[in-house]
Amino acid sequence: FRHCVVASTWAFEAQGPGSIPGGGAIRLRTVSSDLHIIVLAAGEGTRMKSATPKVLHSICGRTLLGHVINAVSELNPKDLAIVVGAGREQVEEHIAEISPKAVTVFQEKRGGTGHATQLALAGISPKGSVLVLAGDTPLLTTQSLSQLISFHHNGGFSASVMTAEHPDPTGYGRIIRADDGSLLRIVEEKDATDADKIIFEVNSGVYIFDGALLASAITKLTANNSQGELYLTDVLEIMRQAGGEVAAALIDDYVETLGVNDREQLAESGAYLRDRINSDLMRAGVTITDPTTTWIDATANIESDVTIYPGTAILGNTTIKSGAIIGPRTTLESCTVLEGARVVESNCVEAIIGKDAQVGPYSY
């Protein structure tokens, strides 16, 4: 069988043995209180060419890691473990600020995703389910993660992986399926054959496992690959050979699975997130006359019937009340703008702008 995610409804198609009874959309169920989450954030990030650890680079008001933590925190996990490595002190300080209940695990020597997961599992009870994902995937949403968890539980799988059909799969692990569409294995780019490399379905790096089975299977990993590392992807094959059922859920929007490895990808992810935020606000009744030049942080709060003109940036914990008019060419950073106010061609920082006030042009 092959499980496919269709649009945002996560309807799955299944053929043959093991198909979902009744077909159609899978109903979301409440996330289990026995959900454990591991975020892998130990990478060097050398391609960023920066003194700042990769996961601490920011887009739309949060760090890359901050976006991931925000998405998984809404799943109400029993515990959250974050594997850190490069820039340990900076990353741990940031985690303490935004997610004080999270536990950090230090991966002193980078030994692959399997090794990082082994370290994190040492402090987790194997009871329940374990969700594993990367700390550099800021576009993942709570909804998609919740639906993956529901898919995994409803299917009774030993392990499930979120996949996507990427228009340029270079650099990603490829999803290898059997003739009947079932998941066989995941092949990393550096271990892929020429035939594997023409496959467009890729591994998103998001997995959910039966905790007890993961704890057992991960001890069987070997570093017999071109990188000399322990691959978490190999756990799927170990589980399958042991008689477990592993599945791949193909998400329709590959954008959610995009990771960030360099400045170009950082900008690309920022633009996607900008468009998502602006789209959500416009659907909620905010007028944005030029969305491509309007940057609004995910942490801002904007009411309906606000109008935003081109060249505007709304940053930090800014709140804008109904009827306000902002821009053009205006920056608001952690401001409060009350009803009916108008702010034109101005730069405002931590300001409270009163009801029906007129600010600008050219005010600081």
Side-chain angles (χ1 to χ4, degrees):
F1 61 93
R2 183 183 186 195
H3 302 279
C4 302
V5 182
V6 180
S8 60
T9 60
W10 278 66
F12 294 87
E13 296 175 353
Q15 298 89 29
S19 63
I20 299 165
I26 290 189
R27 178 177 59 85
L28 256 71
R29 47 186 259 173
T30 304
V31 174
S32 169
S33 60
D34 286 333
L35 175 67
H36 310 275
I37 296 179
I38 297 172
V39 177
L40 307 181
E44 299 288 345
T46 53
R47 282 182 279 173
M48 296 296 287
K49 293 180 169 48
S50 174
T52 300
K54 180 177 73 170
V55 295
L56 297 190
H57 284 263
S58 296
I59 53 173
C60 295
R62 293 191 180 106
T63 63
L64 301 181
L65 181 58
H67 283 290
V68 174
I69 290 175
N70 183 70
V72 301
S73 295
E74 295 183 26
L75 298 171
N76 298 314
K78 186 172 183 178
D79 43 51
L80 170 60
I82 304 174
V83 181
V84 301
R88 175 187 182 182
E89 292 183 2
Q90 291 174 269
V91 176
E92 287 183 337
E93 182 179 353
H94 180 61
I95 292 169
E97 290 176 0
I98 65 173
S99 184
K101 293 184 179 180
V103 175
T104 58
V105 179
F106 180 47
Q107 186 183 25
E108 184 174 4
K109 181 180 179 181
R110 256 52 96 212
T113 53
H115 176 244
T117 305
Q118 283 180 343
L119 294 175
L121 281 174
I124 292 178
S125 166
K127 181 180 179 182
S129 301
V130 179
L131 179 70
V132 183
L133 67 165
D136 62 355
T137 50
L139 296 167
L140 280 170
T141 64
T142 303
Q143 181 184 19
S144 292
L145 293 171
S146 178
Q147 289 165 334
L148 174 65
I149 294 166
S150 180
F151 163 74
H152 173 77
H153 287 162
N154 286 331
F157 302 118
S158 300
S160 302
V161 56
M162 182 188 294
T163 70
E165 288 189 346
H166 198 296
D168 180 9
T170 305
Y172 288 85
R174 306 305 203 279
I175 301 299
I176 309 299
R177 293 182 181 266
D179 291 340
D180 63 357
S182 61
L183 176 64
L184 284 179
R185 63 187 181 278
I186 301 173
V187 178
E188 298 299 330
E189 167 87 7
K190 292 184 178 180
D191 298 309
T193 65
D194 290 341
D196 294 333
K197 290 180 180 179
I198 64 174
I199 295 172
F200 285 88
E201 187 179 4
V202 300
N203 175 21
S204 70
V206 182
Y207 314 86
I208 181 167
F209 302 93
D210 175 284
L213 296 178
L214 173 62
S216 173
I218 205 164
T219 63
K220 300 178 174 64
L221 288 178
T222 65
N224 185 25
N225 52 64
S226 62
Q227 295 289 92
E229 296 181 346
L230 300 181
Y231 291 161
L232 184 59
T233 51
D234 291 344
V235 167
L236 302 178
E237 177 66 11
I238 292 169
M239 287 183 172
R240 194 178 69 83
Q241 290 185 357
E245 190 172 9
V246 298
L250 177 64
I251 189 171
D252 184 65
D253 186 4
Y254 78 94
V255 166
E256 280 203 41
T257 69
L258 294 179
V260 174
N261 292 302
D262 56 34
R263 305 290 182 132
E264 186 176 9
Q265 292 175 348
L266 183 71
E268 180 184 31
S269 292
Y272 279 125
L273 192 52
R274 174 205 62 201
D275 292 346
R276 179 191 293 173
I277 291 169
N278 289 348
S279 179
D280 289 344
L281 286 170
M282 288 187 285
R283 289 194 177 99
V286 176
T287 295
I288 302 176
T289 60
D290 186 5
T292 60
T293 64
T294 301
W295 289 82
I296 301 173
D297 280 354
T299 50
N301 180 22
I302 303 175
E303 294 184 354
S304 63
D305 286 327
V306 167
T307 299
I308 303 171
Y309 286 111
T312 293
I314 299 173
L315 312 175
N317 296 316
T318 295
T319 295
I320 305 175
K321 297 292 186 178
S322 183
I325 298 173
I326 311 298
R329 294 172 293 281
T330 292
T331 298
L332 303 178
E333 182 176 351
S334 296
C335 294
T336 298
V337 182
L338 299 184
E339 293 87 349
R342 178 158 191 175
V343 187
V344 181
E345 293 188 315
S346 297
N347 190 328
C348 308
V349 181
E350 297 181 1
I352 298 174
I353 298 170
K355 183 177 180 181
D356 297 322
Q358 304 291 309
V359 176
Y362 318 124
S363 295
Y364 174 77

